Amino acid sequence: MNRGSRPRLGILLSGRGSNFEAIAKNVFKGSLDCDIGFVFSNKPDAPGLELARKFGLPYGTIPSAGMGRAEFDAQVASLLLGKKIDLVCLAGYMRILSGHFVSKFPNRLLNIHPSLLPAFPGLDAQYQALQHGVKLTGCTVHFVDEQLDSGPILLQAPVPVLDEDTLETLSQRILAEEHRIYTEAIAWVLEGNFRIEGRRVLRT
Ligand code: GRF
């Protein structure tokens, strides 16, 4: 994927950064064969950026105030391209990306979502699952397109909804699966042994 050296991940986050932390720990212990080239947040006070600082990873933010989505995304895309990022991983990045941004990272832009898509896209997916009364939910890693929580699915993990579940206990169990399958999906994409047929991501 990268020109002869280790592939470089770009992480985009807006909040706590536990998925970023799980990915970073897997990189540090060698379970993921890549480097984290940049951690970006649209929120200067995101706890995830503090984690990046603690880990000694390059990080930054661009103030979005007064900027339209297209202009902001164009600046973020050129920042990441300037840092020679090969694969962009959204990890709790609370913005829908413009078509321009998506086109800059073809098949190199991933997201994690806390439901079994296409069920419960958008905000508060765990709450939506509880409210709906499903007995099974989970999480999904997918390629990103211009629609919300859309794009071909790489991996999913099921999580049963227990009678005694609260929003907190269910979210916790889903999160543990998120941390596991995000790294697995990144490793798969870095290996490059997949092909996309329609909406299906298949092993080659
Ligand atoms: C996760 O639940 C992820 O699935 C969703 O946003 C949340 C981010 O959590 N897209 P964290 O910041 O990685 O802890």
Side-chain angles (χ1 to χ4, degrees), residues 120-133:
F120 313 129
L123 288 177
D124 303 322
Q126 305 93 330
Y127 177 76
Q128 293 185 54
L130 276 176
Q131 285 298 104
H132 199 91

Side-chain angles (χ1 to χ4, degrees), residues 7-182:
R8 290 163 64 78
L9 297 189
I11 308 280
L12 270 55
L13 53 81
S14 303
R16 137 189 94 172
S18 75
N19 276 284
F20 156 54
E21 182 173 14
I23 293 164
K25 286 183 171 164
N26 283 323
V27 170
F28 298 151
K29 71 175 187 215
S31 326
L32 264 180
D33 194 15
C34 59
D35 293 320
I36 296 181
F38 201 69
V39 182
F40 176 82
S41 182
N42 59 320
K43 305 262 184 213
D45 55 353
L49 280 188
E50 175 56 25
L51 264 177
R53 193 193 59 75
K54 211 177 86 189
F55 287 149
L57 292 169
Y59 66 94
T61 180
I62 296 174
S64 62
M67 239 190 280
R69 179 152 66 101
E71 189 189 348
F72 181 76
D73 279 7
Q75 289 200 16
V76 179
S78 63
L79 173 68
L80 295 173
L81 291 167
K83 305 274 178 199
K84 306 215 177 315
I85 296 305
D86 298 294
L87 178 63
V88 178
C89 300
L90 308 186
Y93 189 60
M94 304 304 279
R95 289 176 70 99
I96 297 176
L97 296 169
S98 64
H100 171 83
F101 188 102
V102 173
S103 73
K104 292 288 175 191
F105 297 95
N107 296 343
R108 294 187 295 138
L109 181 47
L110 308 182
N111 183 42
I112 181 122
H113 182 75
S115 75
L116 293 176
L117 290 171
F120 313 129
L123 288 177
D124 303 322
Q126 305 93 330
Y127 177 76
Q128 293 185 54
L130 276 176
Q131 285 298 104
H132 199 91
V134 293
K135 301 297 184 194
L136 190 67
T137 184
C139 51
T140 303
V141 182
H142 62 93
F143 285 111
V144 174
D145 61 19
E146 289 159 61
Q147 317 297 321
L148 177 68
D149 300 324
S150 169
I153 290 170
L154 280 142
L155 290 177
Q156 295 187 299
V159 174
V161 181
L162 309 177
D163 287 357
E164 58 273 26
D165 261 332
T166 62
L167 182 57
E168 196 167 85
T169 58
L170 179 61
S171 302
Q172 241 355 87
R173 290 205 314 287
I174 294 173
L175 197 61
E177 290 300 287
E178 292 186 37
H179 295 167
R180 187 177 63 78
I181 68 166
Y182 211 170

